Amino acid sequence: MPRTPDQTALRAQFPALHQGRAYLDNAAGGLLPQRTIDAVTAHLTRYGATNASAVHAPGRMLADLRRQAREATAVFLNADPQDVALASSATTLAFRLSAAFARLWGPGDEVIVSGLEHEANASPWRELERVGVKVHVWHARQPDMRLHPDDLAALLSARTRLVAVTAASNVLGVAPDLPAITAQVRAAGAWTVVDAVHAAPHTLPDVQAWGADFVTFSPYKVFGPHLGSLWVRGDLRGHLPWPKLSFFDPADIASIEHGTPSFELLAGWLGTLDYLRELGGADTLTREALVGAYGHIHTLETPVADALLNGLLALPDVTVYGPQDAQGRVGTVAFRVNGQTPTQTGLHLSDQGVDVSSGHFYAVQPLTDLNLYPEGVVRASIAHYTTEEDIARLLDALR
Ligand SMILES: Cc1ncc(COP(=O)(O)O)c(C=O)c1O
């Protein structure tokens, strides 16, 4: 693989990093490269809120933009563009998918939700209880909060229709072994819905390698604007009766997108994918380019994630939750400081120029299992532009 680009040059592309603060809340939302911001501004300047049209020239450009955004997102997911929806959020799309399941399933059907989930990959499936579906929780094992296949095997049965699992926990950083899980679920005759929202800035999604049936992710966690995305396995699309406008073909993935797209945000997301293309050292946006970009992201993140985890573990007044080693996790660490509420710690750190966040982060089940709900934890989360100096500032402010 070519040499990893200079991190200082990469950081120069992110205007929000020029403020001199250590931004460690990447799990909540990423920062945007200049070209993303420029693409949104250029779009609004050129088109305002013009809509797509089959007739007038700007409207045809917008229809083309929508197609391009879908195609580029498909490259990002290693998917077929026909199977990729883009809408306002991953949560919205999950609830629409759940509405389809509510029309397919009822008493006698079962769903399993992992104990690591953000509520966006739990509440939509809990809604199915209203139509008589039984929901089981596949709890993570304490204290390291990893999921074990034996515990899933004990819950799977001929009644299981769906298993919901995250590609990485947005509060504990744990990254389950997706191909193993989807194989186990498939062997039981059920579908898997994977929440890749937290994993996607660190691990390039690959719907084919993962073997899932449904995958969500959110561009705004991947240095793009506020959008959410859902991938649906191609042979299932068209057989899922989600609520839709009457004239749409149910097999048209646009039928789950509901309403007029945020064209300016689609333009911005294409700007972000262009940033990733360049990071991957390619002239065009290809899967290889993105694989290359994520190779560099991995190289940049690894020492920083290690410094974060090991640094927090070494502080005597700090308790780290979840896995205590770097194996099978991303650079997101949950902790508390003895004698302080998470909010007190977060405010103190922000006063020192270090922006982490505190609370439960909608990760209700994992934090309930750890007896940390609802106050939650302090969460520090890195991205590829985070430096070891950022981590040193965090650790110094905690000493
Ligand atoms: C793991 C995870 N899943 C889902 C979501 C929800 O994503 P969205 O805001 O696009 O609905 C989040 C947002 O924080 C998340 O961290």
Side-chain angles (χ1 to χ4, degrees), residues 101-132:
F101 295 151
R103 292 170 176 178
L104 294 176
W105 303 334
D109 294 319
E110 297 187 2
V111 164
I112 299 170
V113 177
S114 114
L116 291 177
E117 299 313 300
H118 180 288
E119 279 302 297
N121 200 30
S123 296
W125 325 126
R126 285 222 170 266
E127 283 285 310
L128 298 169
E129 288 174 330
R130 292 172 184 270
V131 295

PDB file of all heavy atoms in Angstrom, residues 101-132:
ATOM      1  N   PHE A 101     -41.952  -4.951   8.370  1.00  0.00           N
ATOM      2  CA  PHE A 101     -41.948  -6.217   9.119  1.00  0.00           C
ATOM      3  C   PHE A 101     -43.262  -6.391   9.880  1.00  0.00           C
ATOM      4  O   PHE A 101     -43.763  -7.505  10.017  1.00  0.00           O
ATOM      5  CB  PHE A 101     -40.766  -6.268  10.092  1.00  0.00           C
ATOM      6  CG  PHE A 101     -39.412  -6.287   9.432  1.00  0.00           C
ATOM      7  CD1 PHE A 101     -38.297  -5.755  10.082  1.00  0.00           C
ATOM      8  CD2 PHE A 101     -39.236  -6.835   8.168  1.00  0.00           C
ATOM      9  CE1 PHE A 101     -37.049  -5.780   9.487  1.00  0.00           C
ATOM     10  CE2 PHE A 101     -37.983  -6.852   7.563  1.00  0.00           C
ATOM     11  CZ  PHE A 101     -36.885  -6.322   8.224  1.00  0.00           C
ATOM     12  N   ALA A 102     -43.820  -5.257  10.372  1.00  0.00           N
ATOM     13  CA  ALA A 102     -45.076  -5.333  11.135  1.00  0.00           C
ATOM     14  C   ALA A 102     -46.217  -5.831  10.250  1.00  0.00           C
ATOM     15  O   ALA A 102     -47.215  -6.345  10.765  1.00  0.00           O
ATOM     16  CB  ALA A 102     -45.409  -3.967  11.721  1.00  0.00           C
ATOM     17  N   ARG A 103     -46.069  -5.662   8.948  1.00  0.00           N
ATOM     18  CA  ARG A 103     -47.105  -6.163   8.033  1.00  0.00           C
ATOM     19  C   ARG A 103     -46.846  -7.618   7.629  1.00  0.00           C
ATOM     20  O   ARG A 103     -47.676  -8.237   6.971  1.00  0.00           O
ATOM     21  CB  ARG A 103     -47.157  -5.274   6.784  1.00  0.00           C
ATOM     22  CG  ARG A 103     -47.684  -3.887   7.118  1.00  0.00           C
ATOM     23  CD  ARG A 103     -47.518  -2.924   5.978  1.00  0.00           C
ATOM     24  NE  ARG A 103     -48.130  -1.629   6.310  1.00  0.00           N
ATOM     25  CZ  ARG A 103     -48.121  -0.570   5.527  1.00  0.00           C
ATOM     26  NH1 ARG A 103     -47.530  -0.622   4.335  1.00  0.00           N
ATOM     27  NH2 ARG A 103     -48.695   0.538   5.903  1.00  0.00           N
ATOM     28  N   LEU A 104     -45.649  -8.126   7.953  1.00  0.00           N
ATOM     29  CA  LEU A 104     -45.295  -9.505   7.584  1.00  0.00           C
ATOM     30  C   LEU A 104     -45.407 -10.468   8.767  1.00  0.00           C
ATOM     31  O   LEU A 104     -45.645 -11.652   8.573  1.00  0.00           O
ATOM     32  CB  LEU A 104     -43.859  -9.554   7.062  1.00  0.00           C
ATOM     33  CG  LEU A 104     -43.552  -8.838   5.741  1.00  0.00           C
ATOM     34  CD1 LEU A 104     -42.053  -8.909   5.450  1.00  0.00           C
ATOM     35  CD2 LEU A 104     -44.338  -9.459   4.589  1.00  0.00           C
ATOM     36  N   TRP A 105     -45.147  -9.951   9.976  1.00  0.00           N
ATOM     37  CA  TRP A 105     -44.991 -10.842  11.124  1.00  0.00           C
ATOM     38  C   TRP A 105     -46.030 -10.557  12.197  1.00  0.00           C
ATOM     39  O   TRP A 105     -46.638  -9.490  12.229  1.00  0.00           O
ATOM     40  CB  TRP A 105     -43.590 -10.683  11.735  1.00  0.00           C
ATOM     41  CG  TRP A 105     -42.485 -10.925  10.752  1.00  0.00           C
ATOM     42  CD1 TRP A 105     -42.534 -11.707   9.625  1.00  0.00           C
ATOM     43  CD2 TRP A 105     -41.175 -10.360  10.794  1.00  0.00           C
ATOM     44  NE1 TRP A 105     -41.322 -11.666   8.966  1.00  0.00           N
ATOM     45  CE2 TRP A 105     -40.474 -10.844   9.665  1.00  0.00           C
ATOM     46  CE3 TRP A 105     -40.509  -9.506  11.662  1.00  0.00           C
ATOM     47  CZ2 TRP A 105     -39.151 -10.489   9.389  1.00  0.00           C
ATOM     48  CZ3 TRP A 105     -39.196  -9.146  11.410  1.00  0.00           C
ATOM     49  CH2 TRP A 105     -38.532  -9.642  10.278  1.00  0.00           C
ATOM     50  N   GLY A 106     -46.190 -11.510  13.117  1.00  0.00           N
ATOM     51  CA  GLY A 106     -47.151 -11.358  14.229  1.00  0.00           C
ATOM     52  C   GLY A 106     -46.858 -12.392  15.291  1.00  0.00           C
ATOM     53  O   GLY A 106     -45.716 -12.875  15.424  1.00  0.00           O
ATOM     54  N   PRO A 107     -47.876 -12.788  16.054  1.00  0.00           N
ATOM     55  CA  PRO A 107     -47.671 -13.770  17.122  1.00  0.00           C
ATOM     56  C   PRO A 107     -47.018 -15.047  16.574  1.00  0.00           C
ATOM     57  O   PRO A 107     -47.381 -15.509  15.485  1.00  0.00           O
ATOM     58  CB  PRO A 107     -49.100 -14.035  17.618  1.00  0.00           C
ATOM     59  CG  PRO A 107     -49.853 -12.785  17.272  1.00  0.00           C
ATOM     60  CD  PRO A 107     -49.261 -12.278  16.000  1.00  0.00           C
ATOM     61  N   GLY A 108     -46.047 -15.564  17.324  1.00  0.00           N
ATOM     62  CA  GLY A 108     -45.331 -16.758  16.874  1.00  0.00           C
ATOM     63  C   GLY A 108     -44.006 -16.413  16.214  1.00  0.00           C
ATOM     64  O   GLY A 108     -43.143 -17.273  16.064  1.00  0.00           O
ATOM     65  N   ASP A 109     -43.848 -15.151  15.821  1.00  0.00           N
ATOM     66  CA  ASP A 109     -42.570 -14.715  15.232  1.00  0.00           C
ATOM     67  C   ASP A 109     -41.703 -14.061  16.309  1.00  0.00           C
ATOM     68  O   ASP A 109     -42.230 -13.467  17.261  1.00  0.00           O
ATOM     69  CB  ASP A 109     -42.817 -13.707  14.103  1.00  0.00           C
ATOM     70  CG  ASP A 109     -43.547 -14.347  12.926  1.00  0.00           C
ATOM     71  OD1 ASP A 109     -43.203 -15.504  12.586  1.00  0.00           O
ATOM     72  OD2 ASP A 109     -44.457 -13.711  12.359  1.00  0.00           O
ATOM     73  N   GLU A 110     -40.383 -14.186  16.136  1.00  0.00           N
ATOM     74  CA  GLU A 110     -39.465 -13.659  17.160  1.00  0.00           C
ATOM     75  C   GLU A 110     -38.331 -12.860  16.524  1.00  0.00           C
ATOM     76  O   GLU A 110     -37.907 -13.142  15.385  1.00  0.00           O
ATOM     77  CB  GLU A 110     -38.871 -14.811  17.984  1.00  0.00           C
ATOM     78  CG  GLU A 110     -39.940 -15.575  18.749  1.00  0.00           C
ATOM     79  CD  GLU A 110     -39.394 -16.620  19.710  1.00  0.00           C
ATOM     80  OE1 GLU A 110     -38.153 -16.754  19.824  1.00  0.00           O
ATOM     81  OE2 GLU A 110     -40.221 -17.307  20.343  1.00  0.00           O
ATOM     82  N   VAL A 111     -37.856 -11.899  17.290  1.00  0.00           N
ATOM     83  CA  VAL A 111     -36.732 -11.054  16.876  1.00  0.00           C
ATOM     84  C   VAL A 111     -35.718 -11.058  18.004  1.00  0.00           C
ATOM     85  O   VAL A 111     -36.107 -11.103  19.184  1.00  0.00           O
ATOM     86  CB  VAL A 111     -37.251  -9.617  16.600  1.00  0.00           C
ATOM     87  CG1 VAL A 111     -36.118  -8.607  16.557  1.00  0.00           C
ATOM     88  CG2 VAL A 111     -38.056  -9.573  15.302  1.00  0.00           C
ATOM     89  N   ILE A 112     -34.432 -11.025  17.662  1.00  0.00           N
ATOM     90  CA  ILE A 112     -33.372 -10.978  18.680  1.00  0.00           C
ATOM     91  C   ILE A 112     -32.583  -9.683  18.475  1.00  0.00           C
ATOM     92  O   ILE A 112     -32.135  -9.399  17.354  1.00  0.00           O
ATOM     93  CB  ILE A 112     -32.432 -12.200  18.553  1.00  0.00           C
ATOM     94  CG1 ILE A 112     -33.222 -13.499  18.763  1.00  0.00           C
ATOM     95  CG2 ILE A 112     -31.271 -12.089  19.528  1.00  0.00           C
ATOM     96  CD1 ILE A 112     -32.444 -14.768  18.414  1.00  0.00           C
ATOM     97  N   VAL A 113     -32.441  -8.925  19.544  1.00  0.00           N
ATOM     98  CA  VAL A 113     -31.694  -7.657  19.479  1.00  0.00           C
ATOM     99  C   VAL A 113     -30.456  -7.809  20.357  1.00  0.00           C
ATOM    100  O   VAL A 113     -30.568  -8.210  21.524  1.00  0.00           O
ATOM    101  CB  VAL A 113     -32.575  -6.487  19.978  1.00  0.00           C
ATOM    102  CG1 VAL A 113     -31.792  -5.186  19.983  1.00  0.00           C
ATOM    103  CG2 VAL A 113     -33.822  -6.344  19.099  1.00  0.00           C
ATOM    104  N   SER A 114     -29.292  -7.484  19.817  1.00  0.00           N
ATOM    105  CA  SER A 114     -28.085  -7.631  20.630  1.00  0.00           C
ATOM    106  C   SER A 114     -28.091  -6.613  21.760  1.00  0.00           C
ATOM    107  O   SER A 114     -28.723  -5.550  21.666  1.00  0.00           O
ATOM    108  CB  SER A 114     -26.827  -7.469  19.771  1.00  0.00           C
ATOM    109  OG  SER A 114     -26.095  -6.318  20.129  1.00  0.00           O
ATOM    110  N   GLY A 115     -27.367  -6.937  22.810  1.00  0.00           N
ATOM    111  CA  GLY A 115     -27.287  -6.068  23.981  1.00  0.00           C
ATOM    112  C   GLY A 115     -26.302  -4.932  23.824  1.00  0.00           C
ATOM    113  O   GLY A 115     -26.021  -4.223  24.797  1.00  0.00           O
ATOM    114  N   LEU A 116     -25.772  -4.753  22.622  1.00  0.00           N
ATOM    115  CA  LEU A 116     -24.824  -3.647  22.401  1.00  0.00           C
ATOM    116  C   LEU A 116     -25.446  -2.499  21.637  1.00  0.00           C
ATOM    117  O   LEU A 116     -24.765  -1.524  21.313  1.00  0.00           O
ATOM    118  CB  LEU A 116     -23.616  -4.160  21.584  1.00  0.00           C
ATOM    119  CG  LEU A 116     -22.666  -5.121  22.273  1.00  0.00           C
ATOM    120  CD1 LEU A 116     -21.575  -5.575  21.293  1.00  0.00           C
ATOM    121  CD2 LEU A 116     -22.025  -4.454  23.494  1.00  0.00           C
ATOM    122  N   GLU A 117     -26.753  -2.591  21.347  1.00  0.00           N
ATOM    123  CA  GLU A 117     -27.319  -1.672  20.346  1.00  0.00           C
ATOM    124  C   GLU A 117     -27.589  -0.248  20.825  1.00  0.00           C
ATOM    125  O   GLU A 117     -28.003  -0.014  21.953  1.00  0.00           O
ATOM    126  CB  GLU A 117     -28.622  -2.255  19.794  1.00  0.00           C
ATOM    127  CG  GLU A 117     -28.457  -3.595  19.099  1.00  0.00           C
ATOM    128  CD  GLU A 117     -27.309  -3.631  18.126  1.00  0.00           C
ATOM    129  OE1 GLU A 117     -27.309  -2.842  17.163  1.00  0.00           O
ATOM    130  OE2 GLU A 117     -26.389  -4.454  18.318  1.00  0.00           O
ATOM    131  N   HIS A 118     -27.391   0.682  19.931  1.00  0.00           N
ATOM    132  CA  HIS A 118     -27.971   2.033  19.982  1.00  0.00           C
ATOM    133  C   HIS A 118     -29.466   1.825  19.742  1.00  0.00           C
ATOM    134  O   HIS A 118     -29.857   0.917  18.999  1.00  0.00           O
ATOM    135  CB  HIS A 118     -27.333   2.840  18.845  1.00  0.00           C
ATOM    136  CG  HIS A 118     -27.777   4.260  18.697  1.00  0.00           C
ATOM    137  ND1 HIS A 118     -29.012   4.600  18.217  1.00  0.00           N
ATOM    138  CD2 HIS A 118     -27.127   5.432  18.922  1.00  0.00           C
ATOM    139  CE1 HIS A 118     -29.117   5.910  18.164  1.00  0.00           C
ATOM    140  NE2 HIS A 118     -27.988   6.451  18.584  1.00  0.00           N
ATOM    141  N   GLU A 119     -30.307   2.652  20.338  1.00  0.00           N
ATOM    142  CA  GLU A 119     -31.750   2.427  20.207  1.00  0.00           C
ATOM    143  C   GLU A 119     -32.238   2.483  18.759  1.00  0.00           C
ATOM    144  O   GLU A 119     -33.319   1.974  18.443  1.00  0.00           O
ATOM    145  CB  GLU A 119     -32.535   3.412  21.081  1.00  0.00           C
ATOM    146  CG  GLU A 119     -32.609   2.991  22.531  1.00  0.00           C
ATOM    147  CD  GLU A 119     -33.239   1.602  22.728  1.00  0.00           C
ATOM    148  OE1 GLU A 119     -34.417   1.420  22.398  1.00  0.00           O
ATOM    149  OE2 GLU A 119     -32.532   0.700  23.223  1.00  0.00           O
ATOM    150  N   ALA A 120     -31.465   3.084  17.862  1.00  0.00           N
ATOM    151  CA  ALA A 120     -31.875   3.115  16.448  1.00  0.00           C
ATOM    152  C   ALA A 120     -31.919   1.713  15.851  1.00  0.00           C
ATOM    153  O   ALA A 120     -32.593   1.490  14.832  1.00  0.00           O
ATOM    154  CB  ALA A 120     -30.934   3.991  15.632  1.00  0.00           C
ATOM    155  N   ASN A 121     -31.196   0.772  16.478  1.00  0.00           N
ATOM    156  CA  ASN A 121     -31.240  -0.620  16.012  1.00  0.00           C
ATOM    157  C   ASN A 121     -31.889  -1.515  17.074  1.00  0.00           C
ATOM    158  O   ASN A 121     -31.587  -2.701  17.158  1.00  0.00           O
ATOM    159  CB  ASN A 121     -29.835  -1.118  15.654  1.00  0.00           C
ATOM    160  CG  ASN A 121     -29.877  -2.346  14.729  1.00  0.00           C
ATOM    161  OD1 ASN A 121     -30.804  -2.518  13.937  1.00  0.00           O
ATOM    162  ND2 ASN A 121     -28.875  -3.209  14.839  1.00  0.00           N
ATOM    163  N   ALA A 122     -32.744  -0.929  17.879  1.00  0.00           N
ATOM    164  CA  ALA A 122     -33.483  -1.698  18.887  1.00  0.00           C
ATOM    165  C   ALA A 122     -34.940  -1.258  18.927  1.00  0.00           C
ATOM    166  O   ALA A 122     -35.846  -2.070  18.723  1.00  0.00           O
ATOM    167  CB  ALA A 122     -32.813  -1.538  20.260  1.00  0.00           C
ATOM    168  N   SER A 123     -35.196   0.024  19.146  1.00  0.00           N
ATOM    169  CA  SER A 123     -36.587   0.499  19.248  1.00  0.00           C
ATOM    170  C   SER A 123     -37.424   0.150  18.016  1.00  0.00           C
ATOM    171  O   SER A 123     -38.590  -0.255  18.166  1.00  0.00           O
ATOM    172  CB  SER A 123     -36.631   2.008  19.479  1.00  0.00           C
ATOM    173  OG  SER A 123     -36.049   2.347  20.715  1.00  0.00           O
ATOM    174  N   PRO A 124     -36.894   0.280  16.783  1.00  0.00           N
ATOM    175  CA  PRO A 124     -37.740  -0.078  15.630  1.00  0.00           C
ATOM    176  C   PRO A 124     -38.197  -1.531  15.677  1.00  0.00           C
ATOM    177  O   PRO A 124     -39.312  -1.857  15.254  1.00  0.00           O
ATOM    178  CB  PRO A 124     -36.830   0.178  14.427  1.00  0.00           C
ATOM    179  CG  PRO A 124     -35.855   1.195  14.904  1.00  0.00           C
ATOM    180  CD  PRO A 124     -35.611   0.852  16.354  1.00  0.00           C
ATOM    181  N   TRP A 125     -37.374  -2.410  16.203  1.00  0.00           N
ATOM    182  CA  TRP A 125     -37.735  -3.840  16.240  1.00  0.00           C
ATOM    183  C   TRP A 125     -38.596  -4.122  17.458  1.00  0.00           C
ATOM    184  O   TRP A 125     -39.437  -5.015  17.425  1.00  0.00           O
ATOM    185  CB  TRP A 125     -36.473  -4.712  16.179  1.00  0.00           C
ATOM    186  CG  TRP A 125     -35.411  -4.092  15.315  1.00  0.00           C
ATOM    187  CD1 TRP A 125     -34.119  -3.823  15.672  1.00  0.00           C
ATOM    188  CD2 TRP A 125     -35.558  -3.619  13.962  1.00  0.00           C
ATOM    189  NE1 TRP A 125     -33.463  -3.202  14.640  1.00  0.00           N
ATOM    190  CE2 TRP A 125     -34.313  -3.059  13.580  1.00  0.00           C
ATOM    191  CE3 TRP A 125     -36.608  -3.578  13.035  1.00  0.00           C
ATOM    192  CZ2 TRP A 125     -34.100  -2.492  12.317  1.00  0.00           C
ATOM    193  CZ3 TRP A 125     -36.395  -3.006  11.778  1.00  0.00           C
ATOM    194  CH2 TRP A 125     -35.163  -2.478  11.440  1.00  0.00           C
ATOM    195  N   ARG A 126     -38.418  -3.341  18.537  1.00  0.00           N
ATOM    196  CA  ARG A 126     -39.314  -3.463  19.701  1.00  0.00           C
ATOM    197  C   ARG A 126     -40.735  -3.044  19.331  1.00  0.00           C
ATOM    198  O   ARG A 126     -41.699  -3.526  19.918  1.00  0.00           O
ATOM    199  CB  ARG A 126     -38.820  -2.597  20.856  1.00  0.00           C
ATOM    200  CG  ARG A 126     -37.622  -3.173  21.548  1.00  0.00           C
ATOM    201  CD  ARG A 126     -37.764  -3.012  23.062  1.00  0.00           C
ATOM    202  NE  ARG A 126     -36.728  -3.770  23.743  1.00  0.00           N
ATOM    203  CZ  ARG A 126     -36.871  -5.003  24.185  1.00  0.00           C
ATOM    204  NH1 ARG A 126     -38.025  -5.617  24.048  1.00  0.00           N
ATOM    205  NH2 ARG A 126     -35.878  -5.636  24.775  1.00  0.00           N
ATOM    206  N   GLU A 127     -40.875  -2.142  18.366  1.00  0.00           N
ATOM    207  CA  GLU A 127     -42.205  -1.738  17.895  1.00  0.00           C
ATOM    208  C   GLU A 127     -43.013  -2.962  17.453  1.00  0.00           C
ATOM    209  O   GLU A 127     -44.240  -2.950  17.472  1.00  0.00           O
ATOM    210  CB  GLU A 127     -42.078  -0.798  16.687  1.00  0.00           C
ATOM    211  CG  GLU A 127     -41.687   0.616  17.033  1.00  0.00           C
ATOM    212  CD  GLU A 127     -42.838   1.389  17.645  1.00  0.00           C
ATOM    213  OE1 GLU A 127     -43.940   1.383  17.062  1.00  0.00           O
ATOM    214  OE2 GLU A 127     -42.634   1.982  18.721  1.00  0.00           O
ATOM    215  N   LEU A 128     -42.303  -4.004  17.025  1.00  0.00           N
ATOM    216  CA  LEU A 128     -42.991  -5.196  16.520  1.00  0.00           C
ATOM    217  C   LEU A 128     -43.737  -5.932  17.624  1.00  0.00           C
ATOM    218  O   LEU A 128     -44.617  -6.748  17.343  1.00  0.00           O
ATOM    219  CB  LEU A 128     -41.984  -6.127  15.826  1.00  0.00           C
ATOM    220  CG  LEU A 128     -41.289  -5.507  14.603  1.00  0.00           C
ATOM    221  CD1 LEU A 128     -40.136  -6.370  14.147  1.00  0.00           C
ATOM    222  CD2 LEU A 128     -42.295  -5.304  13.471  1.00  0.00           C
ATOM    223  N   GLU A 129     -43.395  -5.621  18.877  1.00  0.00           N
ATOM    224  CA  GLU A 129     -44.143  -6.225  20.002  1.00  0.00           C
ATOM    225  C   GLU A 129     -45.616  -5.837  19.910  1.00  0.00           C
ATOM    226  O   GLU A 129     -46.487  -6.580  20.337  1.00  0.00           O
ATOM    227  CB  GLU A 129     -43.548  -5.774  21.339  1.00  0.00           C
ATOM    228  CG  GLU A 129     -42.189  -6.423  21.620  1.00  0.00           C
ATOM    229  CD  GLU A 129     -41.507  -5.899  22.870  1.00  0.00           C
ATOM    230  OE1 GLU A 129     -41.728  -4.715  23.218  1.00  0.00           O
ATOM    231  OE2 GLU A 129     -40.740  -6.661  23.482  1.00  0.00           O
ATOM    232  N   ARG A 130     -45.902  -4.669  19.330  1.00  0.00           N
ATOM    233  CA  ARG A 130     -47.300  -4.208  19.207  1.00  0.00           C
ATOM    234  C   ARG A 130     -48.135  -5.144  18.337  1.00  0.00           C
ATOM    235  O   ARG A 130     -49.351  -5.160  18.444  1.00  0.00           O
ATOM    236  CB  ARG A 130     -47.341  -2.815  18.563  1.00  0.00           C
ATOM    237  CG  ARG A 130     -46.771  -1.719  19.425  1.00  0.00           C
ATOM    238  CD  ARG A 130     -46.683  -0.438  18.599  1.00  0.00           C
ATOM    239  NE  ARG A 130     -46.050   0.636  19.333  1.00  0.00           N
ATOM    240  CZ  ARG A 130     -46.705   1.507  20.090  1.00  0.00           C
ATOM    241  NH1 ARG A 130     -48.003   1.463  20.180  1.00  0.00           N
ATOM    242  NH2 ARG A 130     -46.049   2.444  20.743  1.00  0.00           N
ATOM    243  N   VAL A 131     -47.469  -5.880  17.433  1.00  0.00           N
ATOM    244  CA  VAL A 131     -48.233  -6.813  16.589  1.00  0.00           C
ATOM    245  C   VAL A 131     -48.025  -8.252  17.045  1.00  0.00           C
ATOM    246  O   VAL A 131     -48.327  -9.196  16.303  1.00  0.00           O
ATOM    247  CB  VAL A 131     -47.882  -6.641  15.078  1.00  0.00           C
ATOM    248  CG1 VAL A 131     -48.309  -5.274  14.581  1.00  0.00           C
ATOM    249  CG2 VAL A 131     -46.413  -6.907  14.814  1.00  0.00           C
ATOM    250  N   GLY A 132     -47.484  -8.415  18.254  1.00  0.00           N
ATOM    251  CA  GLY A 132     -47.397  -9.753  18.836  1.00  0.00           C
ATOM    252  C   GLY A 132     -46.068 -10.464  18.655  1.00  0.00           C
ATOM    253  O   GLY A 132     -45.922 -11.613  19.090  1.00  0.00           O
TER     254      GLY A 132
END
